[in-house]
Amino acid sequence: MQFRFLFSLLLFTALNFFSAHAQKFESNKSNTDSVPKGTKLKELPDPKTVSWQQDVNLGAKLFERGSIYNGLKYYEEAVSKNPKKTDLYQQIADGNFALRDYRTANKYYKLLADSNAKNFTAVYYYALTDKYLGNYEHAKETFQKLNS
């Protein structure tokens, strides 16, 4: 009898705790995606209509505000407009990695690793995304290259 009472009390306390924290989390969420201050998502310019530099700036602001998916659109458009800007590959790779799009992240980490073998971060994440994609042997070889 006492065990049932304690179990019920524990269950009731846990449910109250989780519901209170869930309400707190829900109240902190907004209905719109995170975008630069004072800007609604639908007010952002089409990435194809602005210069590559504006694409880079908007992508950076969106990344900074936590809107990785939308920021990637601007970074990818900037790279398509100016393919020589290989420094943007890092942002695109990191953004896709954060979104768990390992196939796309792997592609950009490979481009970074091939362009600069001393970029150990890119080589590491290239191997890691290979591992996540199931390319275990290639990932193992790449990790071993890092150690040598």
Side-chain angles (χ1 to χ4, degrees), residues 49-112:
T49 62
V50 295
S51 71
W52 73 268
Q53 189 59 48
Q54 288 174 312
D55 282 332
V56 171
N57 292 338
L58 284 167
K61 285 181 184 177
L62 287 164
F63 263 42
E64 186 180 295
R65 302 289 291 167
S67 184
I68 296 169
Y69 179 78
N70 293 307
L72 279 172
K73 291 179 191 176
Y74 287 94
Y75 278 135
E76 289 168 351
E77 188 62 33
V79 167
S80 72
K81 290 176 184 173
N82 192 353
K84 294 179 182 178
K85 294 298 288 178
T86 57
D87 56 320
L88 296 177
Y89 291 170
Q90 185 74 46
Q91 283 83 357
I92 295 172
D94 291 344
N96 281 297
F97 188 86
L99 294 176
R100 297 183 180 165
D101 182 1
Y102 300 125
R103 190 164 315 286
T104 306
N106 182 271
K107 177 178 110 177
Y108 283 99
Y109 284 129
K110 180 177 180 6
L111 290 170
L112 284 165

Side-chain angles (χ1 to χ4, degrees), residues 120-136:
F120 296 116
T121 305
V123 176
Y124 172 78
Y125 279 102
Y126 174 53
L128 191 62
T129 54
D130 260 347
K131 177 185 165 197
Y132 289 163
L133 294 171
N135 304 329
Y136 301 114

